[in-house]
Amino acid sequence: MTRSILILNGPNLNLLGQREPEIYGRTTLADIEAMCRAEAARLGVEADCRQSNSEGELVTWIQEAPQRFAGVILNAGAYSHTSIALLDAGRALNIPLIEVHLSNIYQRESFRHHSYISLAAKGIICGFGSRGYLMALGALAAMLDDAQ
Ligand code: CA2
C-alpha cells in the first residue's frame, strides 16, 4: 500500500511569512513544506505538497488523491468556511482527510467558527501554527502503521 500523503494548502497561504505576521507568523509556505517533507521522511512516509488559490483545482486534486495517496492533509484557508464543493469532494474520498488550520479559528471572527470541511474530516488540528501539519502527518503515519 502507498505511504504517500498529499498536503494541500488553499487560497492566500502562498503569502505566509510575507504579510500579517502577527496572525500567521514569519514562517513561509516553502518553510512549512520543507518541514513536512523532513517529518515525512522521519515517519517513513512521503509528502507531496501543493498550493492553489483555485477552488476547482483543489477539488480536482482531492478527487484524484486516492489514485496515488493514502491520506490528505488539507488547509483550505477561507474556502473551509464557504465551500460545499470541497466538502462534497472530501465526502467522496475513501482515504482519511485531516483538516489543519494554523490559527485557532474559534478565537477569531465568528464567520471562521464553522468549517464545511470538518464534516468530511477524520480529525481537525487548529491553533498550533505550522506544527499542526507535522501533527497531522504523525496521525496519518500512525493510522497507516495500524492498518498494516
Ligand atoms: O488559520 C488558518 O490556517 C486559516 O485556514 C488561514 C486562512 C483563513 O481564511 C482561515 O480562516 C484560517 C487564511 C490564509 C491566508 O493567509 C495569509 C497569510 C499572510 C497574509 C495574508 C493571508
Side-chain angles (χ1 to χ4, degrees):
M1 200 175 99
T2 177
R3 287 179 66 84
S4 291
I5 292 172
L6 180 62
I7 302 179
L8 295 181
N9 280 291
N12 296 310
L13 286 154
N14 54 311
L15 298 177
L16 280 177
Q18 302 168 31
R19 314 259 169 80
E20 300 192 74
E22 63 287 354
I23 301 177
Y24 297 111
R26 296 203 178 274
T27 309
T28 66
L29 185 60
D31 294 334
I32 291 174
E33 291 177 345
M35 285 165 53
C36 285
R37 280 188 284 270
E39 181 69 356
R42 200 184 68 79
L43 293 165
V45 299
E46 276 175 37
D48 183 333
C49 303
R50 304 179 192 174
Q51 187 274 335
S52 180
N53 293 324
S54 156
E55 184 177 9
E57 190 163 39
L58 293 164
V59 167
T60 299
W61 286 340
I62 293 169
Q63 283 182 7
E64 292 172 352
Q67 295 166 25
R68 282 190 42 207
F69 299 100
V72 177
I73 296 170
L74 174 63
N75 182 348
Y79 291 148
S80 313
H81 317 301
T82 63
S83 178
I84 297 169
L86 282 174
L87 167 60
D88 288 345
R91 275 202 166 135
L93 274 181
N94 58 356
I95 55 174
L97 180 153
I98 298 186
E99 177 179 2
V100 169
H101 296 283
L102 294 156
S103 61
N104 180 345
I105 55 176
Y106 302 102
Q107 280 181 347
R108 302 186 62 192
E109 303 97 322
S110 59
F111 61 81
R112 297 186 202 273
H113 295 182
H114 177 264
S115 165
Y116 285 100
I117 307 298
S118 302
L119 294 163
K122 175 81 183 160
I124 304 147
I125 298 168
C126 77
F128 294 99
S130 52
R131 193 168 289 129
Y133 294 87
L134 310 186
M135 295 162 80
L137 271 171
L140 280 175
M143 288 167 66
L144 291 176
D145 293 342
D146 287 350
Q148 275 188 349

